[in-house]
């Protein structure tokens, strides 16, 4: 809360203070302006530290506000991107007036002078209501997770998630149905329709016999529905209620409400209908979907739902999640969500605690083995920690049994009282931006080959709310609130992983020894075989009395032993080679520049040759009226060739700088940057953009090349949909295994099966009539190859058109 308030005040100082401090503070110097807030917000800091901190918060916003100060700049001299938390406050506070901003913050200022006062009450307008929803529920998968948690809190045994014709967002619908205790009319009015109601905070456990720890305490479930679609009907009843309650909400009315300032003035219809069945539960029907849901999207839902309930905590009564999708064969029937990844692990750690002795188990690598030891329970509380490591062999076995399900091997999840607390485990903040909130992958830059990644392990860390009260969910569900207990908990996890890594390193060294011994044994067996063969030959030459069968069996036995020893040694060597190749592939990012230089040289030579031929003709026949049409045609051709040259040289210029501009950046921000630049064209051509990118997904890559890839893909799709009636372009970006996966789709002219392998060649184009020159996809593939990535044309995920699948490794 303390840092949040300082960020808000930093925004106020930046916005209201121009050549002098904000006039509301009635001071002349910036030092005095900062000290106005010291008395109430110093939090134990010295005045000097407080001034420096508050100035730092102010400077963050200076680059984005017109106040005659420069603020923070990046290395290119452009305004530095605001951290995610700062951006959230900026989005909200920029929508209120100067007077409202001061009224909101003046209670934290001590400005000495007496003031007249009056009591004020909060007003909550519609735009803020919708904005809060977007900030609290960051993406549609999180929205579904929140609704499933609501069903868990309602003592549901079974929850059914149905995707009905969701490949068409206008006609499709999503139904979430459970058999929990349901709501009566009073519950709907006083609890569900009250934002942030504290009914669950007062009631820590659900009714007997379930006695589940309540997990949905933020009161944001209604925002989850808004995230999925603009219209919903909620049908619910309790077991002894003779009425079924039907609540209808049209979120579009909130968007269209220009005259109504207060969202409380917008009506939502609640109806009652006679229904004497003794069943109870809730059924939510969501229409007018904001996004289409492809088979790939529903696979992601399955993956995330499989993590909700800890695979190590047997719930009784059970909590089963079923998924069905009418349009996809895989989900035709109700598919029970399961998580069975751990049985394939090659190594495991199981740590527990004992409250009677106040001791916590930890693991330590001692005397060449992992030993479980006991230490006093840490300040952050007792934990059950179960860690499973998957080597390449284990991953291979898992993939064979669960096609595509290897995506479940994705780091450590934290469960509170048996239910997942962090759906996507993605950290916020540029400095620590990693794909997991614990920063496991960040460590790999030091000792890359000896450290495991979040894609090598599955970890379940079990905590209890009563025993770890300071491990608190952040409101957006993507992390925990930063405090000392949380930092100590992360340090505990990293330390335990480090002990596992010491053990794995030792095992590898022993494996090398065994490989060398196996090969030495094979050499000795072959030497013996050679000796026996010579003896056998000599006996035959001397025509001694030889038992041929016995001698041959002896030779066969020696050969068999040599063969076994060789195979074992070679197999281990091959496994190690594959593992090393895999790591080097991730570690080494850049391909040789020579290959691409040769390609670019070919392009330039070819274009210059065409320009020279056509220019010579035009010069020769410039005054020949009979050649007028040909000269015009050649002039146009010269311009096309010049465009190719410009594209090639620009690409080469960016490529040669590609090794010096690698940085970690937010994937969604990069897509938004390009798509926003094309917004006028997209609106003019009436192209529907569907963007589904995991929240806070980051990658270490050259941002110039990355945005170049997006630009070329978008240009291609715009050309491809030129003659399509209802134009669509869809982008999906997710974290899968050790790589970022992007699906870029459009419902345009498509790519014939026979052309799929040719489209990445120089000058090959399927959009020549729309201005394509055959350079774009070649440039895209080259840029992707720089990072050891891949691109391929796959079956379209839309009803028709094209889908390109791109994978980029997370580590260079």
């Amino acid at each position: 809360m303390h840092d949040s308030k300082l960020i808000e005040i930093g925004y106020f100082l930046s916005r209201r203070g121009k050549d002098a401090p904000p006039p509301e503070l009635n001071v002349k110097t910036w030092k005095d302006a900062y000290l106005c807030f010291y008395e109430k917000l110093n939090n134990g800091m010295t005045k000097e530290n407080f001034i420096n901190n508050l100035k730092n918060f102010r400077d963050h916003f200076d680059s984005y506000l017109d106040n005659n100060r420069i603020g923070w700049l990046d290395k290119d001299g452009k305004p530095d991107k605001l951290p995610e938390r700062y951006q959230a406050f900026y989005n909200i506070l920029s929508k209120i007036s100067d007077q409202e901003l001061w009224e909101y913050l003046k209670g934290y200022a001590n400005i000495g002078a007496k003031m007249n006062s009056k009591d004020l009450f909060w007003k909550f307008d519609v735009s803020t209501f919708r904005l809060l929803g977007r900030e609290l529920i960051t993406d549609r998968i999180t929205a579904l997770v929140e609704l499933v948690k609501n069903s868990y809190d309602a003592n549901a045994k079974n929850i059914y998630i149905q995707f009905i014709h969701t490949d068409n967002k206008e006609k499709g619908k999503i139904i979430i149905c459970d058999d929990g205790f349901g709501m009566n009319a009073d519950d709907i009015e006083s609890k569900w329709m009250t934002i942030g109601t504290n009914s669950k905070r007062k009631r820590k456990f659900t009714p007997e016999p379930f006695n589940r720890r309540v997990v949905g305490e933020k009161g944001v479930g209604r925002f989850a529905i808004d995230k999925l679609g603009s219209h919903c009907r909620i049908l619910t009843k309790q077991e002894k209620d003779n009425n079924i309650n039907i609540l209808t909400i049209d979120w579009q009315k909130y968007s269209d409400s220009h005259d109504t300032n207060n969202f409380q003035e917008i009506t939502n219809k609640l109806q009652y209908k006679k229904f004497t069945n003794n069943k109870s539960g809730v059924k939510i029907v969501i229409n007018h979907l904001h996004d289409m849901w492809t088979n790939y999207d529903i696979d992601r839902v399955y993956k995330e739902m499989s993590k909700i309930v800890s695979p190590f905590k047997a719930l009784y009564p059970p909590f089963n999640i079923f998924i069905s999708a009418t349009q996809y064969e895989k989900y035709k029937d109700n598919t029970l969500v399961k998580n069975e990844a751990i049985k394939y692990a090659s190594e495991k750690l199981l740590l527990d605690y004992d409250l009677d002795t106040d001791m916590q188990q930890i693991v330590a690598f001692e005397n060449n083995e992992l030993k479980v030891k006991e230490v006093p329970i840490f300040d952050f509380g007792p934990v059950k920690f179960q860690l499973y490591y998957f080597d390449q062999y284990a991953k291979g076995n898992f993939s064979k049994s669960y096609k595509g399900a290897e995506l479940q091997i994705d780091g450590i999840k934290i469960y509170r009282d048996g239910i997942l607390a962090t759906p996507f485990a993605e950290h916020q903040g540029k400095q620590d931006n990693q794909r997991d909130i614990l920063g496991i992958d960040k460590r790999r830059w030091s000792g890359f080959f000896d450290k495991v990644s979040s894609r090598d392990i599955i970890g379940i860390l079990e905590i209890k709310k009563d025993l770890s009260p300071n491990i608190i969910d952040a409101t957006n569900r993507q992390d925990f609130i930063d405090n000392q207990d949380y930092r100590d908990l992360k340090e505990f996890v990293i330390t335990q992983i480090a002990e596992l890594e010491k053990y794995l390193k030792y095992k590898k060294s022993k494996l090398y020894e065994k490989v060398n011994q196996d090969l030495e044994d094979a050499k000795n067996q072959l030497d013996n075989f050679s000796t026996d063969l010579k003896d056998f030959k000599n006996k035959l030459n001397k025509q001694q009395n030889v038992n041929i069968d016995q001698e041959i069996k002896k030779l066969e036995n020696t050969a068999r032993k040599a063969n076994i020893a060789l195979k074992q040694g070679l197999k281990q060597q091959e496994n190690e080679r594959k593992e090393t190749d895999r790591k080097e592939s991730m570690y080494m990012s850049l391909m040789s520049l020579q290959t691409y230089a040769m390609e670019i040289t070919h392009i330039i030579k070819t274009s210059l040759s065409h320009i020279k031929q056509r220019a010579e003709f035009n010069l020769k026949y410039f005054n020949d009226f009979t050649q007028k049409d040909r000269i015009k045609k050649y002039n146009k051709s010269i311009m096309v060739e010049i465009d190719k040259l410009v594209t090639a040289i620009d690409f080469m210029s960016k490529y040669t700088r590609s090794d010096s501009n690698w940085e970690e950046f937010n994937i969604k921000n990069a897509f938004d940057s390009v798509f926003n630049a094309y917004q006028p064209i997209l609106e003019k051509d009436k192209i529907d953009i569907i963007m589904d990118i995991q929240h806070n997904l980051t990658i270490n890559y050259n941002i110039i090349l990355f945005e170049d890839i997006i630009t070329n893909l978008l240009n291609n799709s715009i050309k491809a949909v030129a003659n399509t009636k209802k134009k669509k372009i869809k982008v999906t970006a997710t974290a899968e295994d050790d790589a970022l996966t992007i699906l870029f789709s459009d419902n345009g002219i498509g790519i014939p099966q026979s052309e799929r392998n040719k489209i990445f060649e120089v000058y090959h184009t399927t959009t020549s009539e729309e201005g394509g020159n055959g350079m774009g996809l070649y440039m895209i593939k080259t840029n992707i190859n720089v990072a050891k990535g891949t691109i391929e044309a796959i079956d379209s995920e839309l009803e028709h058109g094209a889908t390109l699948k791109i994978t980029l490794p997370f580590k260079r």
Side-chain angles (χ1 to χ4, degrees):
M1 181 270 185
H2 176 258
D3 279 355
S4 298
K5 192 55 61 182
L6 289 182
I7 292 173
E8 291 174 336
I9 291 169
Y11 173 86
F12 162 77
L13 293 172
S14 178
R15 172 169 158 180
R16 295 292 296 143
K18 298 184 184 291
D19 297 323
E24 293 90 343
L25 299 178
N26 196 26
V27 296
K28 293 183 179 180
T29 68
W30 276 105
K31 179 180 178 181
D32 289 336
Y34 300 133
L35 292 176
C36 283
F37 301 93
Y38 179 76
E39 182 177 335
K40 297 184 179 181
L41 292 172
N42 67 77
N43 201 33
M45 285 187 280
T46 64
K47 287 185 178 181
E48 183 179 356
N49 285 342
F50 182 83
I51 289 171
N52 289 335
N53 274 0
L54 195 47
K55 181 180 184 299
N56 181 43
F57 287 121
R58 186 203 70 176
D59 290 349
H60 267 292
F61 294 105
D62 280 348
S63 301
Y64 289 82
L65 295 168
D66 184 16
N67 56 23
N68 301 328
R69 287 186 301 277
I70 295 174
W72 287 27
L73 302 176
D74 62 20
K75 60 188 175 184
D76 296 321
K78 297 179 181 178
D80 203 5
K81 291 180 181 177
L82 285 175
E84 298 263 344
R85 286 181 68 204
Y86 291 64
Q87 187 67 53
F89 285 112
Y90 180 91
N91 292 342
I92 295 173
L93 296 177
S94 62
K95 295 181 180 296
I96 64 178
S97 67
D98 290 345
Q99 183 179 350
E100 289 171 327
L101 180 61
W102 172 239
E103 290 293 336
Y104 172 52
L105 294 172
K106 70 179 183 181
Y108 297 93
N110 181 18
I111 57 178
K114 292 183 178 180
M115 297 184 184
N116 296 322
S117 66
K118 65 175 182 178
D119 294 330
L120 295 176
F121 299 91
W122 288 105
K123 291 183 179 179
F124 205 0
D125 67 19
V126 173
S127 61
T128 307
F129 176 71
R130 300 300 297 277
L131 181 64
L132 277 174
R134 286 190 288 272
E135 294 293 339
L136 293 171
I137 305 294
T138 53
D139 56 68
R140 55 184 179 159
I141 304 294
T142 301
L144 282 173
V145 169
E146 286 302 313
L147 294 174
V148 170
K149 285 185 175 181
N150 282 348
S151 296
Y152 177 84
D153 288 344
N155 275 355
K157 294 181 182 178
N158 303 289
I159 179 167
Y160 299 86
I161 305 172
Q162 299 172 277
F163 297 87
I164 301 175
H165 302 301
T166 52
D167 51 344
N168 184 320
K169 65 181 183 181
E170 289 85 9
K171 297 179 181 179
K173 60 184 174 182
I174 297 173
I175 299 175
I176 299 103
C177 185
D178 70 45
D179 57 1
F181 49 64
M183 295 184 285
N184 58 31
D186 183 62
D187 290 334
I188 294 173
E189 186 173 357
S190 63
K191 297 176 183 177
W192 203 89
M193 293 295 294
T194 302
I195 305 300
T197 179
N198 66 352
S199 60
K200 290 185 181 179
R201 290 192 285 275
K202 291 179 180 178
R203 173 174 52 86
K204 294 183 178 180
F205 294 91
T206 66
E208 298 287 354
F210 292 67
N211 202 38
R212 293 172 177 169
R213 162 68 75 173
V214 171
V215 294
E217 299 181 355
K218 302 292 184 181
V220 295
R222 67 280 295 150
F223 291 124
I225 296 176
D226 179 26
K227 188 73 178 179
L228 298 172
S230 60
H231 186 278
C232 80
R233 293 178 76 224
I234 300 173
L235 298 86
T236 180
K237 74 176 291 291
Q238 295 185 333
E239 187 175 2
K240 296 180 180 179
D241 196 344
N242 291 325
N243 289 324
I244 186 168
N245 305 292
I246 305 171
L247 174 64
T248 303
I249 299 177
D250 185 354
W251 294 106
Q252 194 60 42
K253 290 195 298 186
Y254 292 77
S255 297
D256 297 339
S257 177
H258 302 297
D259 300 327
T260 305
N261 290 323
N262 197 326
F263 85 104
Q264 292 173 295
E265 298 173 17
I266 298 176
T267 59
N268 302 279
K269 189 176 290 295
L270 177 62
Q271 298 171 296
Y272 316 96
K273 185 178 179 181
K274 205 73 175 174
F275 195 84
T276 56
N277 192 307
N278 285 331
K279 291 183 179 179
S280 63
V282 173
K283 180 178 181 180
I284 302 173
V285 182
I286 304 170
N287 300 96
H288 303 296
L289 305 180
H290 296 314
D291 303 283
M292 62 184 297
W293 295 73
T294 66
N295 192 31
Y296 179 82
D297 299 323
I298 297 171
D299 282 343
R300 283 178 54 215
V301 173
Y302 184 99
K303 169 194 166 187
E304 297 304 330
M305 292 300 163
S306 71
K307 303 171 189 171
I308 287 182
V309 178
S310 168
F312 310 108
K313 185 178 179 68
L315 293 179
Y316 184 80
F319 184 62
N320 298 316
I321 304 170
F322 298 89
I323 295 176
S324 65
T326 55
Q327 66 274 29
Y328 301 120
E329 190 64 36
K330 183 177 178 181
Y331 297 102
K332 281 284 187 187
D333 301 316
N334 287 319
T335 302
L336 177 64
V337 175
K338 298 179 181 178
N339 188 337
E340 297 181 305
I342 59 173
K343 68 181 182 183
Y344 292 92
S346 46
E347 300 290 344
K348 63 181 179 180
L349 303 179
L350 306 175
L351 304 177
D352 208 337
Y353 59 87
D354 188 337
L355 291 178
D356 293 332
T357 60
D358 200 32
M359 299 299 282
Q360 169 73 55
Q361 288 183 336
I362 64 167
V363 70
F365 179 67
E366 295 179 353
N367 300 323
N368 298 330
E369 62 180 1
L370 287 174
K371 294 183 178 180
V372 176
K373 305 174 72 175
E374 289 190 340
V375 297
I377 288 177
F378 298 98
D379 289 342
F380 53 75
V383 298
K384 290 185 178 181
F385 186 36
Q386 308 187 51
L387 185 65
Y388 296 81
Y389 169 75
F390 294 76
D391 60 17
Q392 285 301 100
Y393 181 75
K395 286 181 180 178
N397 284 340
F398 182 67
S399 299
K400 289 174 186 176
S401 299
Y402 299 97
K403 296 295 184 183
E406 68 274 3
L407 309 184
Q408 294 176 11
I409 304 174
D410 62 352
I412 294 172
K413 301 292 180 290
I414 299 178
Y415 290 78
R416 183 187 289 107
D417 298 296
I419 293 293
L420 184 67
T422 52
F424 303 101
E426 293 170 353
H427 190 66
Q428 299 182 45
K430 188 170 184 178
Q431 184 177 358
D432 294 320
N433 247 342
Q434 294 295 333
R435 293 200 54 261
D436 62 307
I437 61 173
L438 300 171
I440 295 168
D441 293 330
K442 182 173 59 179
R443 305 151 50 254
R444 303 188 77 205
W445 293 110
S446 171
F448 181 88
F449 292 101
D450 295 323
K451 288 185 168 60
V452 302
S453 83
S454 58
R455 299 301 170 180
D456 299 323
I457 56 176
I458 292 177
I460 286 82
L461 190 114
E462 298 264 13
I463 62 175
K464 290 183 176 293
K465 183 168 184 178
D466 291 342
L467 301 176
S468 299
N470 292 327
I471 308 299
I472 306 166
D473 292 7
T475 303
N476 65 5
R477 306 293 195 180
Q478 303 302 313
D479 199 353
F480 296 93
I481 293 174
D482 184 34
N483 56 37
Q484 191 59 50
D485 279 0
Y486 180 39
R487 289 191 287 271
D488 291 344
L489 176 63
K490 290 196 286 187
E491 181 61 29
F492 164 78
V493 172
I494 294 298
T495 301
Q496 298 305 287
I497 292 175
E499 296 301 308
L500 172 64
E501 288 165 342
K502 293 176 187 176
Y503 175 66
L504 294 175
K505 186 175 181 180
Y506 167 74
K507 279 188 64 178
K508 183 181 290 186
S509 69
K510 298 302 291 182
L511 180 62
Y512 283 142
E513 290 178 13
K514 185 177 184 306
V515 169
N516 291 333
Q517 186 59 53
D518 286 345
L519 291 176
E520 183 63 29
D521 290 345
K523 177 181 175 298
N524 292 335
Q525 293 290 347
L526 287 173
D527 288 343
N528 292 338
F529 180 78
S530 178
T531 300
D532 291 345
L533 190 61
K534 287 178 181 177
D535 289 345
F536 182 48
K537 183 178 178 181
N538 290 334
K539 289 177 182 179
L540 287 176
N541 288 337
K542 294 177 180 179
Q543 294 184 346
Q544 295 178 0
N545 187 19
V546 179
N547 187 330
I548 293 178
D549 286 344
Q550 184 177 338
E551 292 295 329
I552 289 176
K553 284 180 181 179
K554 181 180 176 183
L555 290 172
E556 286 176 342
N557 187 47
T558 305
R560 184 167 58 252
K561 289 179 180 179
N563 187 39
I564 292 171
L566 265 177
K567 282 183 177 180
Q568 287 177 341
L570 292 173
K571 183 179 180 181
Q572 295 294 347
Q573 272 196 337
E574 177 65 11
N575 288 340
E576 287 302 310
R577 184 192 64 78
K578 286 181 179 179
E579 183 71 5
T580 301
D581 286 349
R582 182 183 71 88
K583 290 181 176 179
E584 287 179 351
S585 174
M586 295 166 60
Y587 192 64
M588 304 298 291
S589 62
L590 293 177
M591 304 278 286
S592 168
L593 185 62
Q594 181 181 7
T595 304
Y596 300 114
M598 291 172 61
E599 292 282 4
I600 298 300
T601 301
H602 167 70
I603 293 169
I604 292 173
K605 282 185 176 180
T606 303
S607 289
L608 286 176
S609 175
H610 291 164
I611 290 172
K612 183 174 182 293
Q613 292 171 4
R614 286 155 178 73
E616 287 174 345
F617 179 89
N618 288 356
L619 188 63
K620 183 176 181 179
Y621 296 100
F622 181 74
N623 294 317
D624 189 340
F625 183 77
T626 61
Q627 299 295 331
K628 180 181 177 182
D629 290 341
R630 180 171 290 186
I631 290 172
K632 190 175 180 180
K633 178 182 176 182
Y634 280 179
N635 283 340
K636 187 176 180 181
S637 175
I638 288 172
M639 292 304 298
V640 171
E641 295 298 332
I642 289 173
D643 283 342
K644 289 180 181 178
L645 283 174
V646 170
T647 302
I649 292 169
D650 181 55
F651 166 73
M652 197 62 180
S653 174
K654 291 176 181 177
Y655 187 91
T656 55
R657 299 194 307 270
S658 62
D659 193 35
S660 60
N661 291 317
W662 289 67
E663 61 182 289
E664 191 162 271
F665 58 86
N666 183 282
I667 300 298
K668 182 139 191 341
N669 290 346
F671 272 99
D672 286 343
S673 174
V674 175
F675 275 74
N676 288 340
Y678 276 77
Q679 197 59 36
I681 296 173
L682 300 174
E683 290 178 358
K684 180 177 73 71
D685 293 349
K686 297 180 180 179
I687 300 175
D688 183 19
I689 300 298
I690 305 161
M691 200 172 291
D692 183 17
I693 300 175
Q694 283 184 350
H695 183 68
N696 272 4
L697 193 57
T698 63
I699 193 170
N700 193 295
Y701 193 72
N702 183 305
I703 192 166
I704 297 173
L705 297 188
F706 190 83
E707 290 186 350
D708 227 28
I709 292 170
I710 302 171
T711 300
N712 276 305
L713 288 171
L714 184 55
N715 274 325
N716 276 3
S717 289
I718 290 172
K719 294 170 188 172
V721 301
N723 297 317
T724 304
K725 205 167 187 180
K726 289 187 177 181
K727 303 175 176 65
K728 293 180 187 175
I729 296 175
K730 184 186 179 194
V731 180
T732 303
T734 56
E736 297 188 14
D737 207 3
D738 288 315
L740 167 71
T741 296
I742 299 171
L743 296 183
F744 205 104
S745 307
D746 63 61
N747 63 343
I749 57 177
I751 304 169
Q753 188 78 30
S754 58
E755 299 285 305
R756 288 188 179 181
N757 293 326
K758 299 178 183 177
I759 58 173
F760 302 106
E761 297 173 3
V762 180
Y763 299 142
H764 188 89
T765 179
T766 59
T767 58
S768 56
E769 293 182 5
E770 290 77 29
N773 62 13
M775 298 281 285
L777 286 176
Y778 169 75
M779 300 302 187
I780 291 170
K781 185 174 183 181
T782 302
N783 280 340
I784 290 169
N785 286 345
V786 168
K788 293 283 188 179
T790 62
I791 181 171
E792 59 178 324
I794 62 175
D795 293 339
S796 176
E797 64 170 337
L798 303 178
E799 57 271 24
H800 57 79
T803 294
L804 294 178
K805 180 180 179 181
I806 298 168
T807 58
L808 291 168
F810 280 111
K811 296 298 179 185
R812 296 181 63 190

